[in-house]
Structure formats: C-alpha cells, structure tokens
Amino acid sequence: MTPVELSRTVLHAVRRAVDAGELSVTVPARAVVAPPGAGGWGDYATNIALQLARPAGQPPLRVAEVIRPYLVGADGVGGVRITGPGFLNIRLQDSAAERLVRQILDEGTRYGHGDALTGRIVDLRIPYEVRAEVVADVLVRIVGSQGGRVEIEHAEPVTLRPVPAPEDPSPLGTDAARWALLHPAPHDRPRITADHLVQRESNPLFRVRYAHARTRALGRNAADLGFSAEPGPVDDVDGSGELVGLLADHPRVLAAAATHRAPDRLARHLVSVADAVWPVLPAVLPRGAEKPSAAHRARLALAEAAGTVLAGGLSLLGIDAPEHL
C-alpha cells in the first residue's frame, strides 16, 4: 500500500465514522500520512484526529479512538495504535520491516551488494606498509560488492595512505589484527594492543562476533523447540525499530565504503548493528510454558537477518564470523 492509498484508507475510515453518527465533521479532501516520528509505531502515522478535533468538538484522543476501529478492519492494515495526543500509527499487513527481513534472508550475505560502481576500475597505489596492504585487500572485496574492480600496485604517486600501524599487529592474530587496522578512520592511528583480544563489551570486535554467534544460537534453540524463522510484524519489541533502520541502511553504508575507500565505515556500522540487536534477542524464544507463536517466528527472522548482515560485513573485512563463541 502506497502513502496515497493509505491516505484514502484513512479518509474512508473517517467517512464511515461520520456515516455511523460517531463523528460530526466534514470529511477533509486529504489525510496526511508520513513515517512515525519519535515515540511512534508501525509504518506510518497520521494527525487526522488532531485535524478534526476542533470541528468535531471533541479532544483529539477521543477522535482517534473513534476512527481507530474503522482503520483496523481496512484492507492492507495490520494494526493501529494511538500515541501522543492522538496520532494514529498504522502498521501495514506487509510492512516495510517485514519485506526488508525477507529480502535479507533471501539474499543472504550478498544483501547490500549493488551496482554503484559497475564498470569502474579503482586504481590503488599504496606504500609497502601493513595497514595500507590490509585496507587495499579489503577494498578489493568492498568495491567488488558494488560491481567495481580494484587494481593495486606499489607505485608513486600514492593514492591510498592510511596512518601506518605503530607496530607489527600480527601477534594479535589475523582477525584481531585486521580489526585493529580497519576499525579506525584512515587518518587515525590504530591501536595495536591486547584490548582487541578480550572477550568483554569494551571490545567492539567481540561485540560484533558475539552478537552474530548469539543470533545463530537462537536459530538452533528455536529448532529444538520446533519452530523456525518467518518474517512478520516485530514492532512489539523494544529496539526493533532502531535495528530495522540499521539493516535498511546497510546497502548505503557498503556503497559509501566502496566509493570513499573507507572500510572503517563498514566496521563501525557492524558495531551499531551488533549493539542494536541485543534488546531484541531476549524476546525471540518463548518463556516458561509459553508456546512458539507467529511473533516468536518474526522476532527470530529479524535476529537471523541481523546475523546475516554481521556475517556478510565481517566476510568483506576478511574476518571470521564464528557460529559459536
């Protein structure tokens, strides 16, 4: 359902309320619908109740309560919630979040790959230095994910020169060493310390890999309980909106990382996704005597989509995404 179609649906609900004698107003020619703001819910919100409150001679909240039942039963509307002084928040049956999760699960770790650089050859001239070598290696994959191709040579003039590593990062091991070199912006000096190896929240690499492992563990736990992921409404879970927004932003982040030769943008994005998935995870599995429901399947699908984005991003950075951690 498009915003224009939803606007007509809102007006039809108002007209039905007027015909039923529950509202005494002139039905307006247009109802404004837009993505919900802070504190909102669902896919769209409308201020039609606030608009009609004065002519109806009733508080906006009461007008919203009158209109809501007529919206709930409309074709294409999956749910309606009243927020604030009387905003009607609407979730579509086939919501944008549901479509996004389904797309990620269908495309797998290739989600976010595009054609922004199709036909482009990126010439990277780099110094003989470990950080430059690692960044160039990663850019081969990130640029390739956008349809481009990278050619690397050690020659002047240098076109890629991140601040060099202060010391040899190899004692950290491959994954931690790569993260230490890739997570900082190119103009920042990387820290080559054992902090990249500790398994606690202060370590961004640990948070990313552990979040991925937890999403995979939930899939195994759900299978033991006899259910699997199925995309559906997830806006009943605190934090789901932020996570969905970050997952939707993943293609843009990949394209920007490729265009600006900045793998650090992808690394920082993965940290944001990992941090946003945590509030969702406790609601994925049934608790106590609770039976698995459509809501649990939808939450599991969202968690698995987040895990897929984390795995795909780590793979582009050349870092392992373990199933168990």
Side-chain angles (χ1 to χ4, degrees):
M1 181 184 294
T2 67
V4 172
E5 292 169 335
L6 182 57
S7 176
R8 295 194 191 108
T9 299
V10 171
L11 292 177
H12 182 63
V14 172
R15 188 171 292 109
R16 290 177 62 197
V18 170
D19 292 344
E22 294 191 63
L23 280 179
S24 179
V25 296
T26 299
V27 179
R30 179 171 175 262
V32 176
V33 296
W41 175 88
D43 298 299
Y44 292 98
T46 177
N47 66 348
I48 190 69
L50 284 77
Q51 179 183 342
L52 296 178
R54 178 173 291 181
Q58 300 186 51
L61 198 58
R62 173 57 188 159
V63 175
E65 290 169 347
V66 169
I67 298 172
R68 181 181 178 277
Y70 296 102
L71 265 178
V72 169
D75 289 342
V77 174
V80 180
R81 184 179 294 178
I82 301 170
T83 62
F87 291 102
L88 285 159
N89 292 250
I90 303 165
R91 175 174 55 76
L92 304 182
Q93 284 182 340
D94 183 15
S95 70
E98 182 177 342
R99 291 194 300 273
L100 173 68
V101 170
R102 196 177 300 280
Q103 178 187 356
I104 294 172
L105 296 181
D106 287 346
E107 296 181 10
T109 55
R110 289 190 59 81
Y111 167 68
H113 292 212
D115 56 5
L117 297 179
T118 296
R120 290 273 302 277
I121 297 176
V122 178
D123 179 24
L124 295 182
R125 300 184 180 188
I126 64 173
Y128 286 97
E129 192 277 321
V130 63
R131 190 182 187 195
E133 298 274 5
V134 169
V135 170
D137 172 71
V138 171
L139 284 174
V140 170
R141 287 187 291 277
I142 293 179
V143 170
S145 77
Q146 303 304 306
R149 182 163 62 89
V150 171
E151 293 184 353
I152 303 172
E153 58 180 327
H154 296 89
E156 295 289 345
V158 169
T159 59
L160 180 71
R161 192 195 296 272
V163 173
E167 57 188 282
D168 180 12
S170 58
L172 297 177
T174 301
D175 290 336
R178 279 182 164 266
W179 183 267
L181 299 174
L182 295 168
H183 182 249
H187 56 270
D188 291 334
R189 179 177 293 275
R191 295 182 304 103
I192 309 302
T193 71
D195 291 346
H196 296 292
L197 300 175
V198 297
Q199 295 194 5
R200 53 176 178 251
E201 291 184 4
S202 59
N203 179 2
L205 175 58
F206 172 72
R207 298 208 304 273
V208 171
R209 299 175 84 195
Y210 189 52
H212 169 263
R214 286 292 300 132
T215 64
R216 298 315 182 213
L218 285 171
R220 296 190 296 270
N221 295 337
D224 291 340
L225 294 174
F227 76 98
S228 59
E230 178 58 38
V234 291
D235 38 31
D236 59 330
V237 178
D238 289 343
S240 63
E242 180 183 0
L243 178 57
V244 168
L246 288 165
L247 297 181
D249 202 34
H250 186 62
R252 184 198 63 79
V253 171
L254 277 186
T259 302
H260 298 286
R261 306 177 188 179
D264 59 290
R265 297 191 181 198
L266 173 58
R268 291 195 298 273
H269 176 67
L270 296 182
V271 176
S272 297
V273 172
D275 290 345
V277 79
W278 283 112
V280 174
L281 299 186
V284 170
L285 298 179
R287 298 180 180 182
E290 192 178 14
K291 300 294 184 182
S293 65
H296 293 110
R297 290 191 289 273
R299 296 167 195 163
L300 177 61
L302 176 60
E304 290 191 350
T308 298
V309 167
L310 293 173
L314 286 171
S315 176
L316 288 173
L317 296 177
I319 296 174
D320 182 44
E323 298 276 326
H324 304 267
L325 193 62

